[in-house]
């Protein structure tokens, strides 16, 4: 059963957003994907959504992913939020854990996106 869900993909890289967008739709064609290039834009766009999943790049100009995750977690305690980064450091993993958000390594691949979705649906 493929219910339409709202997903917010936040990354300053247009290529990363497009890849995540396509990989999510390849798994669930009816899901609605909204994209944002900054943390500030994500906080604005999320107001019109009831997000099931939010993917947040850690390193972005302006408000980074961790600060954005802090605000989004407070607004949406039940939403699945994942920090996405190539900067795999224990400090970032630990902060994700403290915020009760997930962690996914870059590069964004179809396999990683599908595995992430599979864990949410298990």
């Amino acid at each position: 059963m493929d219910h339409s869900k709202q997903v917010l993909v936040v990354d300053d890289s247009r290529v990363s957003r497009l890849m995540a967008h396509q990989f999510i739709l390849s798994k669930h064609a009816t899901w609605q994907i909204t994209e944002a290039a900054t943390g500030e834009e994500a906080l604005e766009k999320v107001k019109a959504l009831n997000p099931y999943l939010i993917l947040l790049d850690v390193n972005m100009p302006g408000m980074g992913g961790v600060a954005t995750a802090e605000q989004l977690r407070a607004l949406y305690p039940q939403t699945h939020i994942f920090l996405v980064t190539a900067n795999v450091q224990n400090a970032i993993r630990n902060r994700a854990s403290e915020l009760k958000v997930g962690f996914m390594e870059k590069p964004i691949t179809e396999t990683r996106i599908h595995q992430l979705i599979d864990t949410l649906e298990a």
Side-chain angles (χ1 to χ4, degrees), residues 4-120:
S4 181
K5 293 189 174 155
Q6 297 284 331
V7 179
L8 179 60
V9 177
V10 187
D11 199 309
D12 59 317
S13 165
R14 184 173 182 272
V15 171
S16 290
R17 289 194 314 271
L18 289 172
M19 289 174 57
H21 189 131
Q22 288 306 114
F23 296 154
I24 292 166
L25 291 180
S26 74
K27 178 90 171 159
H28 289 292
T30 63
W31 286 15
Q32 302 299 307
I33 316 295
T34 301
E35 297 178 18
T38 66
E40 293 86 352
E41 184 181 358
L43 290 171
E44 187 59 36
K45 286 189 171 183
V46 78
K47 293 175 185 175
L49 305 174
N50 179 19
Y52 171 72
L53 171 63
I54 301 172
L55 300 178
L56 282 168
D57 183 27
V58 170
N59 296 312
M60 296 182 287
M63 181 183 294
V66 174
T68 306
E70 289 173 359
Q71 291 191 37
L72 289 170
R73 176 50 70 220
L75 294 169
Y76 300 96
Q78 302 305 315
T79 295
H80 302 289
I81 301 173
F82 283 80
L83 292 174
V84 183
T85 185
N87 185 8
V88 182
Q89 296 180 11
N90 283 338
I92 294 173
R93 285 183 189 267
N94 292 342
R95 188 65 185 127
S97 179
E98 290 168 5
L99 293 171
K100 294 181 176 41
V101 302
F103 184 88
M104 186 178 86
E105 291 183 32
K106 278 186 173 181
I108 293 170
T109 64
E110 189 167 27
T111 299
R112 285 182 174 159
I113 291 287
H114 287 193
Q115 286 174 341
L116 183 149
I117 292 171
D118 287 343
T119 58
L120 300 180

